[in-house]
């Protein structure tokens, strides 16, 4: 017998079905070793020797494999077919060294799809662990450790409030910040176009755009004002128009290549708004279930047998006309393409989405992959593009109409790629004959303004990183997740916005570690790592060259003072922090005292804000994200309350607020109230301020028990309160208007909602082997699995919708054993290991090391 090791229990279960009882298939649950998050884990003085440690939550998995090897002589490492999978196999071999001394055999197998044929074929062709891929992994891991472990402390000391910096993460953040600065620096330019609705002699209508005026071809900005546009309109109206030319040209559109990791993430984002992390999670499950080939790849070629299967399926579904004469071949254009993998494709071309039982996200993603794969081997679409010029006899005016007709749909019959920049598709034109008149039905001018570059979506950011050669396909999802988790970037309506913290980190790195956030430097380093995996470079030489310059850059920051750093960042971010004011005054002059100048400052608790240099005489402050009109509103008196006390509008480091009176020795903290979300400082008046300052507002005694019911605005928004019970209100304005009937209704519905949320599961998974239903529930502190009186919290990376019966069984069994409440089902006890790893990392005090370890892996 042989022991086969894979990464996950789901993968182990699928492979075990194919191999049968002659093999013991176990899961390593990912990486079993990592660098301890402490100084010296990479010894730069001794050829970058690396100190590895078996993670606490991995020891039991390693022991389970070692125990199996006591009776089995062969260890088969069947981890994923990429650099990371090779590294996991190497770590397992090293960690199991003591169990492999007595004549045991270690072999490595890889398969690109978890199908019976692919697995059995791989088992028949075992090999040794690929030392070159392992060295490429070691180089990458060491680089990420050296950057993260040495650069992050510099950030913590010199830039209060910053969390950490990673090798690829910092470059990705720079892309987002620089795009935002482009948007802020953008100044719109006005221009006009003129369109005419024309009619043929047969009564058919079509639209044409003015392209020649005064005998001169128009450029985009030639009509720059409303007056010029009106003159152009009159020039068209005053002339008779005739069709001068009709030109029809054939055209073809070829299908896109099949998916690789980055293009799958891009298309899932465009079509479904699916983030990179969610996309890869769904793809992982499809792969482990045997539905698709390996999903971390930058290869776009397809196995010959898969190509033929696709052509057969196309012919069966659409007919012979949709199959090209010869198979289509695709070549990767990415700068750092090096993984010799297939594209992402279905394992069975005939397996349409309708014939598979899949969860919602997996179904959408599988259908996308299936359609794209078939389309990539289909005939081109044939089009006819028509251009019609309509003009005046004197040549002073010409208008152009364009149209497009699909003569044969080809691959468009099944799939069309999404676009980041949606343009106007040319519609079909009516029959138009050269020399015939074109009657005017209406001529209209249209005003336009140039638009700033769009903010990145996850799709366009992945595309840009790929173009620059930054990062690897397998790292994009973790890099994007990391910069959002650290609150450097936020995602709003699928667009990525840099947070103030992210701007500060980018400004610091750009000024003090410029080389290491340059796009070319990062891409060149990726190329060197690829050379290591190809056997063309020595990984220790790559590390030595990098560390020599990087350590010198770190040393240069030792004597930096925080004040000096803030001054540098203040100047770097000046266009964002101090935009031009509407009145043309100096944007750095304090809007309150008009004497001090505004500067970037840090607070005791970390974070940054803008404050007046005339402190303590002037205490004006504002967040660094507040500028322009909001800042110009400044600090002002809104009026006096009925007792004659002045009511102020002020701006603090946490945003604008209203205050009654001034701070004195007798009243060091006068009444204050922050402006609710959506309230603009420019619109504030005395009435609004007094309404805020008088909150919470008493509504009256509750009709059931006489306890006071109040309305107010709290940390989580507007609410009504009855004793210790709170219920949220949908709108801020309702706080000032709500009566008792409405308040009682809101409070009652909150109780009902709370009961229903506790009673209605998000997902019913089935009966536990020991009896009792297992369900996924929504809890106050996150989703969990419920089984009778056992409640097991879901790991952070596990989405409620993706929880399977096996996942739930593992979670509740482990929780039951830990709490001593029930016995785990005998059949499943061996699988109840996965959550222990995750729970330990989340709950035990020692788990504080886990984030650093995880960060180091995905820091990039």
């Amino acid at each position: 017998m042989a022991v086969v090791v894979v990464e996950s229990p789901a993968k182990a279960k699928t492979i075990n079905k194919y191999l049968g009882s002659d093999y013991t298939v176990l899961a390593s649950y990912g990486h079993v070793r990592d660098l301890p998050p402490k100084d010296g884990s990479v010894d730069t003085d001794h050829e970058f020797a690396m100190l590895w440690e078996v993670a606490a939550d991995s020891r039991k998995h390693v022991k389970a494999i070692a125990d199996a090897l006591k009776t089995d002589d062969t260890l088969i490492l069947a981890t994923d077919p990429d650099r990371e999978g090779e590294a996991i196999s190497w770590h397992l071999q090293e960690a199991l060294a003591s169990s492999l001394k007595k004549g045991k055999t270690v072999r490595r197998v890889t398969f690109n799809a978890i199908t019976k044929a692919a697995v059995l074929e791989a088992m028949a062709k075992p090999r040794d662990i690929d030392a070159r891929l392992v060295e490429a992994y070691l180089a990458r891991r060491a680089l990420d450790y050296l950057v993260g472990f040495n650069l992050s402390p510099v950030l913590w000391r010199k830039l209060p409030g910053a969390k950490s910096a990673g090798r690829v993460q910092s470059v990705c953040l720079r892309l987002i910040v620089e795009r935002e600065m482009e948007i802020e620096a953008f100044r719109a330019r006005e221009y006009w176009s003129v369109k005419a609705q024309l009619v043929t002699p047969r009564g058919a209508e079509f639209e044409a755009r003015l392209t020649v005026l005064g005998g001169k071809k128009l450029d985009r900005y030639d009509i720059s004002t409303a007056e010029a546009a009106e003159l152009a309109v009159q020039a068209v109206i005053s002339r008779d128009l005739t069709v001068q030319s009709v030109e029809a040209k054939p055209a073809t559109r070829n299908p896109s290549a099949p998916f690789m990791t980055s293009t799958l993430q891009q298309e899932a984002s465009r079509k479904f708004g699916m983030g990179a992390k969610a996309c890869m999670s769904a793809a992982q499950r499809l792969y482990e279930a045997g539905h698709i080939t390996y999903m971390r790849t930058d290869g776009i070629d397809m196995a010959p047998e898969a190509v033929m299967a696709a052509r057969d399926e196309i012919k069966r579904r659409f007919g012979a006309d949709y199959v090209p004469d010869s198979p289509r071949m695709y070549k990767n254009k990415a700068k750092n393409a090096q993984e010799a993998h297939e594209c992402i494709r279905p394992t069975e071309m005939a397996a349409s989405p309708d014939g598979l039982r899949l969860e919602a996200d997996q179904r959408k993603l599988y259908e996308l992959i299936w359609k794209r794969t078939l389309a990539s081997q289909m005939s081109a679409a044939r089009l006819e593009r028509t251009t019609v010029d309509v003009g005046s006899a004197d040549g002073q005016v010409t208008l152009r109409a364009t149209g497009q007709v699909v003569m044969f749909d080809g691959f468009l019959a099944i799939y069309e790629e999404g676009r980041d920049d949606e343009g106007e598709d040319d519609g079909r034109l009516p029959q138009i004959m050269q020399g015939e008149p074109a009657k005017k039905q209406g001529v209209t001018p249209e005003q336009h303004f140039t638009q700033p570059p769009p903010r990145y979506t996850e799709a366009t950011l992945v595309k840009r990183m790929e173009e620059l050669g930054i990062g690897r396909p397998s790292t994009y999802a973790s890099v994007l997740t990391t910069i959002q988790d650290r609150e450097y970037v936020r995602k709003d309506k699928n667009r990525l916005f840099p947070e103030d913290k992210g701007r500060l980190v980018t400004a610091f790195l750009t000024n003090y570690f410029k080389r290491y956030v340059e796009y070319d430097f990062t891409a060149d380093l990726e190329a060197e790592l690829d050379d290591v995996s190809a056997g063309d470079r020595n990984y220790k030489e790559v590390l030595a060259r990098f560390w020599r310059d990087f350590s010198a850059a770190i040393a240069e920051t030792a004597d930096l003072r925080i004040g000096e750093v803030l001054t540098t960042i203040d100047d770097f971010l000046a266009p964002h922090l101090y935009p031009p004011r509407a009145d043309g005054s100096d944007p750095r002059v304090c809007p309150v005292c008009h004497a001090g100048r505004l500067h970037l400052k840090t607070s005791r608790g970390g974070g940054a804000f803008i404050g007046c240099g005339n402190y303590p005489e002037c205490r004006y402050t504002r967040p660094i994200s507040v500028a322009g009109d909001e800042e110009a509103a400044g600090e002002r008196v809104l009026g006096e309350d009925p007792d004659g006390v002045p009511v102020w509008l002020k701006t603090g480091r946490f945003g604008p607020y209203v205050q009654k009176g001034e701070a004195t020795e007798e009243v060091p903290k006068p009444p204050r109230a922050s402006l609710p979300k959506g309230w603009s400082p420019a619109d504030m008046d005395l009435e609004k301020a007094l309404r805020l300052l008088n909150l919470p507002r008493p509504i009256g005694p509750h009709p059931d028990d006489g306890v006071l019911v109040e309305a107010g605005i709290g940390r989580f928004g507007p609410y009504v309160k009855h004793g210790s019970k709170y219920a949220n209100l949908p709108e801020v304005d309702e706080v000032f208007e709500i009566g008792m009937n409405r308040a009682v209704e809101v409070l009652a519905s909150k109780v009902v909602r709370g009961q229903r949320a506790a009673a209605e599961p998000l997902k019913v998974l089935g009966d536990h082997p020991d009896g009792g239903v297992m369900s996924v529930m929504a809890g106050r502190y996150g989703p969990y699995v419920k089984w009778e009186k056992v409640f097991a919290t879901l790991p952070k990376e596990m989405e409620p919708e993706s929880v399977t019966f096996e996942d739930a069984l593992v979670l509740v069994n482990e929780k039951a054993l830990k709490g001593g409440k029930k016995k785990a089902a005998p059949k499943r006890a061996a699988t109840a290991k996965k959550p222990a790893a995750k729970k330990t990392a989340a709950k035990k005090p020692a788990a504080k090391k886990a984030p650093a370890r995880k960060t180091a892996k995905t820091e990039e």
Side-chain angles (χ1 to χ4, degrees):
M1 290 181 66
V3 177
V4 180
V5 183
V6 296
E7 294 94 337
S8 72
K11 189 174 175 181
K13 181 181 177 182
T14 305
I15 292 173
N16 200 34
K17 289 190 301 184
Y18 301 145
L19 296 181
S21 58
D22 290 340
Y23 295 86
T24 301
V25 185
L26 299 174
S28 71
Y29 292 83
H31 274 280
V32 295
R33 300 197 309 174
D34 198 8
L35 298 171
K38 63 182 182 181
D39 194 15
S41 293
V42 176
D43 191 344
T44 55
D45 294 328
H46 295 86
E47 294 189 318
F48 301 94
M50 302 170 78
L51 173 66
W52 299 102
E53 178 181 85
V54 176
D57 49 8
S58 295
R59 287 171 192 156
K60 57 185 150 190
H61 306 312
V62 174
K63 184 178 184 302
I65 300 169
D67 289 344
L69 285 170
K70 290 177 182 178
T71 55
D72 296 329
D73 293 331
T74 303
L75 173 64
I76 299 176
L77 301 167
T79 50
D80 287 340
D82 60 3
R83 187 159 45 200
E84 202 71 15
E86 207 72 20
I88 293 174
S89 288
W90 175 77
H91 277 301
L92 283 166
Q93 185 178 24
E94 295 288 308
L96 293 164
S98 60
S99 301
L100 297 171
K101 289 180 179 178
K102 301 174 183 178
K104 306 286 185 182
T105 301
V106 180
R107 304 298 283 159
R108 172 85 167 108
V109 300
T110 59
F111 32 81
N112 197 44
I114 306 179
T115 62
K116 186 172 184 178
V119 171
L120 294 180
E121 182 183 352
M123 297 296 287
K125 299 176 181 178
R127 60 170 173 82
D128 293 330
I129 290 175
D130 190 326
R132 296 177 304 176
L133 287 180
V134 172
E135 288 179 351
Y137 158 79
L138 293 174
R140 183 180 294 276
R141 187 66 193 88
L143 283 171
D144 292 340
Y145 170 88
L146 292 172
V147 172
F149 200 81
N150 290 279
L151 186 53
S152 295
V154 175
L155 274 178
W156 301 334
R157 292 192 300 266
K158 310 300 182 183
L159 195 63
K163 292 188 176 180
S164 62
R167 185 173 59 86
V168 175
Q169 160 207 322
S170 299
V171 183
C172 177
L173 177 61
R174 180 187 170 190
L175 279 169
I176 297 169
V177 170
E178 288 189 344
R179 174 58 58 87
E180 194 69 20
M181 295 177 75
E182 286 180 53
I183 293 170
E184 290 166 352
F186 177 81
R187 296 293 176 264
R189 183 175 179 181
E190 180 184 9
Y191 66 100
W192 291 73
S193 63
V194 174
K195 292 183 179 179
Q197 287 297 124
L198 305 175
V199 183
T200 69
R202 291 160 296 285
E205 295 185 10
F206 64 99
E207 185 179 81
R209 179 174 52 87
L210 182 64
T211 57
V212 173
L213 179 64
K216 176 188 173 186
K217 184 177 179 181
L218 288 173
D219 289 329
R220 186 181 190 185
Y221 304 110
D222 282 351
I223 305 178
S224 58
T225 64
E227 292 76 12
E230 187 57 38
L231 289 173
V233 168
Q234 292 303 319
V236 175
I237 291 175
S238 64
R239 288 170 168 81
D240 293 330
L241 301 177
T242 303
V243 178
Q244 297 177 334
S245 65
V246 179
E247 185 178 8
K249 288 184 178 180
T252 59
R253 277 182 61 186
N254 290 313
S256 299
F259 283 129
M260 57 181 174
T261 304
S262 56
T263 52
L264 177 63
Q265 291 174 5
Q266 292 168 42
E267 195 73 342
S269 176
R270 293 185 194 109
K271 282 188 160 60
F272 311 132
M274 190 182 287
K277 182 178 179 181
C279 171
M280 295 310 291
S281 175
Q284 176 83 34
R285 292 184 177 277
L286 289 171
Y287 166 68
E288 291 179 345
H291 296 312
I292 65 171
T293 53
Y294 191 55
M295 67 290 162
R296 290 188 178 90
T297 174
D298 54 11
I300 55 175
D301 60 321
M302 200 185 306
E305 60 271 19
V307 172
M308 299 313 296
R311 289 168 63 85
D312 289 344
E313 186 64 16
I314 293 164
K315 184 176 181 179
R316 187 181 73 81
R317 287 179 175 271
F318 299 98
D321 289 344
Y322 287 81
V323 183
D325 293 337
S326 58
R328 294 186 177 275
M329 307 298 291
Y330 295 95
K331 185 177 180 181
N332 202 312
K333 297 179 181 178
K335 288 183 181 179
N336 58 2
Q338 59 90 26
E339 303 288 5
H341 297 154
E342 268 196 271
C343 61
I344 304 171
R345 62 167 177 85
T347 53
E348 295 291 336
M349 297 299 174
S352 69
D354 297 335
L356 301 177
R357 295 181 61 185
L358 300 171
E359 295 177 3
D361 278 358
Q362 294 177 45
R363 174 176 293 277
K364 288 193 295 187
L365 200 65
Y366 179 81
E367 183 174 16
L368 195 65
I369 294 167
W370 180 74
K371 287 183 174 180
R372 174 87 163 224
T373 304
L374 289 185
S376 71
Q377 289 298 325
M378 291 176 73
S379 298
R382 295 197 300 274
L383 315 170
E384 185 177 80
R385 292 177 179 154
T386 305
T387 302
V388 178
D389 282 339
V390 180
S392 60
D394 59 5
Q396 293 297 298
V397 169
T398 301
L399 298 97
R400 173 166 289 182
T402 56
Q404 178 174 281
V405 179
V406 177
M407 310 301 289
F408 172 69
D409 55 0
F411 74 92
L412 295 175
I414 190 172
Y415 177 83
E416 183 168 9
E417 185 177 22
R419 290 180 291 177
D420 298 314
D421 303 314
E422 293 295 340
E424 294 182 6
D425 286 332
D426 293 329
R428 186 166 186 166
L429 292 174
Q431 183 183 18
I432 303 173
M433 308 293 290
Q434 185 172 342
E436 67 184 10
K439 183 180 178 182
K440 297 181 290 290
Q441 266 203 336
V443 182
T444 55
E446 188 173 337
Q447 186 182 34
H448 308 275
F449 291 94
T450 53
Q451 298 297 311
R455 290 182 176 88
Y456 285 113
T457 62
E458 288 196 359
T460 55
L461 184 59
V462 165
K463 183 178 180 181
R464 184 61 180 145
M465 291 173 69
E466 185 182 35
E467 289 170 350
L468 293 170
I470 295 169
R472 305 291 300 139
S474 59
T475 66
Y476 291 148
S478 62
V479 167
L480 290 170
T481 300
T482 299
I483 60 176
Q484 292 176 64
D485 288 347
R486 289 179 182 164
E487 298 178 338
Y488 290 162
V489 171
R490 76 177 189 279
K491 187 162 74 170
D492 185 9
K493 296 179 181 177
N494 211 31
R495 298 282 172 177
L496 298 172
F497 293 76
E499 297 284 18
D500 292 339
K501 202 178 296 183
R503 289 179 184 267
L504 294 177
V505 169
T506 295
F508 178 83
L509 295 176
T510 302
N511 279 278
Y512 296 103
F513 293 90
K514 184 176 181 179
R515 184 184 181 200
Y516 301 97
V517 289
E518 286 178 347
Y519 305 134
D520 288 346
F521 175 82
T522 307
D524 290 344
L525 192 56
E526 292 290 348
E528 290 185 17
L529 293 173
D530 291 343
D531 289 343
V532 172
S533 64
D536 297 332
R537 282 182 188 269
N538 183 294
Y539 84 96
K540 291 185 178 181
E541 291 178 2
V542 172
L543 290 175
R545 189 164 53 254
F546 175 86
W547 177 246
R548 182 188 62 224
D549 297 334
F550 183 70
S551 58
I554 292 286
E556 288 174 4
T557 65
D559 297 330
L560 281 176
R561 294 173 298 172
I562 292 179
E564 181 184 347
V565 170
L566 288 178
T567 299
T568 301
I569 294 176
D570 200 17
D571 293 338
F572 181 83
L573 293 177
H576 163 66
L577 301 178
Y578 317 105
R581 290 175 176 166
D583 61 3
S585 61
D586 186 347
R588 295 196 70 149
V589 171
C590 176
V592 176
C593 70
H594 304 290
R597 290 183 64 77
L598 301 179
H599 296 282
L600 183 67
K601 300 185 177 184
T602 56
S603 60
R604 291 180 181 176
F609 63 96
I610 301 299
C612 180
N614 207 18
Y615 178 88
E617 287 74 15
C618 177
R619 295 176 178 267
Y620 173 80
T621 59
R622 65 167 171 80
I624 69 175
S625 57
V626 174
D629 295 338
E630 292 184 51
E631 187 236 11
E635 181 175 318
R636 67 181 193 274
V637 176
L638 299 172
E640 296 181 349
D641 75 350
D643 297 328
V645 179
V647 176
W648 291 83
L649 170 68
K650 296 174 177 281
T651 304
R653 64 192 59 170
F654 302 112
Y657 63 93
V658 291
Q659 175 178 304
K660 184 159 66 174
E662 288 285 8
T664 62
E665 290 186 9
E666 296 78 15
V667 186
K669 293 185 178 180
R672 290 181 175 181
S674 295
L675 268 60
K677 188 176 181 180
W679 284 33
S680 170
D683 296 333
M684 284 302 295
D685 56 26
L686 180 63
E687 181 186 357
K688 288 183 177 180
L690 291 176
R691 290 164 75 187
L692 285 175
L693 290 165
N694 288 331
L695 293 178
R697 167 181 160 258
I699 299 173
H702 195 285
D704 290 344
D705 56 15
V707 175
L708 181 65
V709 178
E710 299 175 305
I713 301 173
R715 181 181 178 187
F716 302 107
Y719 65 86
V720 288
K721 175 177 178 285
H722 171 224
S724 60
K725 297 176 182 176
Y726 289 80
N728 294 330
L729 292 172
E731 302 291 340
V732 170
D733 290 345
E734 198 169 0
V735 170
F736 308 106
E737 302 165 358
I738 190 169
M740 183 58 69
N741 289 338
R742 167 70 174 149
V744 170
E745 176 190 343
V746 171
L747 288 163
S749 66
K750 172 65 182 295
V751 173
V752 172
R753 279 198 305 273
Q755 291 172 347
R756 185 162 62 244
E760 291 188 358
L762 299 174
K763 186 176 182 181
V764 177
L765 299 166
D767 291 339
H768 191 282
D770 287 352
V773 176
M774 294 190 298
S775 304
V776 181
M777 313 294 291
R780 181 178 180 184
Y781 301 106
Y784 63 94
V785 176
K786 178 176 181 278
W787 169 49
E788 295 188 344
K789 294 184 179 180
V790 177
F791 305 91
T793 303
L794 293 187
K796 186 176 180 183
E797 63 272 18
M798 189 177 289
E799 298 293 335
E801 300 81 7
S802 65
V803 178
T804 63
F805 177 88
E806 289 78 10
D807 293 334
L809 194 63
V810 169
L811 289 168
V812 297
N813 281 352
E814 181 67 23
K815 181 71 174 182
L817 286 171
K818 201 171 181 181
K821 294 180 181 178
K822 278 184 175 281
K823 275 190 175 182
K827 289 182 181 179
R828 306 287 183 172
T831 63
K833 296 179 179 181
K834 183 176 181 179
K838 294 173 182 174
K839 295 291 287 179
T840 301
K843 295 284 185 180
K844 289 187 179 181
K848 288 185 178 179
K849 294 183 179 181
R853 190 163 55 245
K854 182 178 179 184
T855 295
K857 284 185 213 171
T858 59
E859 193 100 317
E860 282 276 317

